Amino acid sequence: MPVRAEHDRVVLAGLLGRDPVLHAYQLGDLDDFFWPYTSWFRRGDQVALLYHGVDPPTLLAFAAPEHTAGLAALLAELAPLLPARLYAHLSPGVAAALAPAFDLDGPAAHLKMALTDPARLARVGPAGVPLGAADLPQLRALYARAYPGNWFDPRMVQTGQYLGIRDGDALVAVAGVHVWSPAYGVAALGNVTTDPRLRGRGLGAAVVAALCRRLRDSVAHVTLNVRADNVAAVRLYERLGFTRVADYGEYTLTARR
């Protein structure tokens, strides 16, 4: 069964919705807000997404362990159609399918987590106020000093799902989303950080808890991705009711000459 482009959102939602936590980012990218930046590929029941809204483009391809062979076959056929340089989030065991066409830098081990015990959010006092376009200069400044390797897309502030904490006039903590789609019932936390001078005071936990409460009013699944070696962050999310649901790797891919 050859790989083909897939343009039917109903078909894609049906396939990805079988495991909405594993595929939360992809389901969210079906939303009108993200759809224009996406290219979708399908081989049988396996789906890969190439997201063009960031530089370099990012390939998302996930499957449960029993379906990784099918996903690897999709990627092997898809490789000649991909950009010469891209980033990739891939389930374990499938990156080798791209190795004949690309040099792979990685993997950086990551976890997918989902909010499975929201009652724990009540243990942390919420804090934070919604941020908007007027706050972009302060947001950029905070990320520059606290999280220079971020994946912040200023357009995401338009979702209304970015919360911040201020110390006087200065923005010192923030939690936001990479994906938010009430239509498809998913959200993915992202770009969470606290000013280095104020870490250890619970600001990160408070703003994340507040954002999770806010998101649960509009979506069924609140998820996130986190580096597996970021022990402090993993523990914080577990304390707030998140559970590890899948491993995956992040790679930088460069086409072989």
Side-chain angles (χ1 to χ4, degrees):
M1 181 178 296
V3 169
R4 64 184 180 88
E6 181 59 73
H7 306 289
D8 189 328
R9 278 191 270 192
V10 174
V11 170
L12 290 167
L15 294 170
L16 300 169
R18 296 175 182 180
D19 192 338
V21 171
L22 181 64
H23 298 298
Y25 272 73
Q26 291 152 298
L27 280 167
D29 285 339
L30 294 174
D31 196 279
D32 288 345
F33 189 83
F34 305 98
W35 178 257
Y37 302 92
T38 63
S39 297
W40 299 86
F41 305 92
R42 178 185 168 199
R43 186 180 188 274
D45 288 347
Q46 300 306 310
V47 174
L49 161 64
L50 186 63
Y51 183 70
H52 307 277
V54 292
D55 183 28
T58 299
L59 177 69
L60 304 180
F62 304 113
E66 63 270 23
H67 298 304
T68 54
L71 183 61
L74 182 160
L75 294 176
E77 293 183 30
L78 180 60
L81 305 178
L82 294 172
R85 179 175 173 269
L86 68 156
Y87 203 63
H89 296 191
L90 305 173
S91 283
V94 303
L98 296 168
F102 291 91
D103 292 319
L104 280 69
D105 181 6
H110 281 68
L111 303 173
K112 287 185 173 291
M113 305 184 75
L115 182 61
T116 57
D117 187 4
R120 293 194 181 189
L121 297 173
R123 301 177 184 177
V124 179
V129 296
L131 303 177
D135 300 298
L136 282 173
Q138 283 199 338
L139 266 173
R140 290 191 176 100
L142 176 59
Y143 286 133
R145 67 181 183 269
Y147 188 9
N150 68 82
W151 289 91
F152 176 59
D153 177 356
R155 200 173 69 97
M156 292 306 299
V157 175
Q158 298 174 26
T159 64
Q161 305 303 319
Y162 270 70
L163 300 184
I165 297 175
R166 287 189 169 84
D167 181 19
D169 293 331
L171 187 65
V172 295
V174 62
V177 293
H178 289 303
V179 164
W180 175 64
S181 174
Y184 293 96
V186 294
L189 300 185
N191 292 316
V192 176
T193 196
T194 300
D195 191 302
R197 299 170 303 165
L198 298 175
R199 289 175 182 168
R201 302 186 185 184
L203 298 180
V207 74
V208 169
L211 180 59
C212 287
R213 290 187 179 97
R214 183 182 181 92
L215 291 170
R216 291 186 70 243
D217 289 338
S218 60
V219 303
H221 303 285
V222 179
T223 70
L224 61 87
N225 295 342
V226 61
R227 281 188 66 107
D229 61 2
N230 190 345
V231 176
V234 172
R235 286 177 177 169
L236 181 149
Y237 294 131
E238 288 177 335
R239 192 168 75 249
L240 293 177
F242 285 82
T243 301
R244 309 178 193 200
V245 295
D247 301 318
Y248 78 97
E250 294 194 5
Y251 300 80
T252 301
L253 278 61
T254 307
R256 296 182 183 273
R257 296 185 182 273

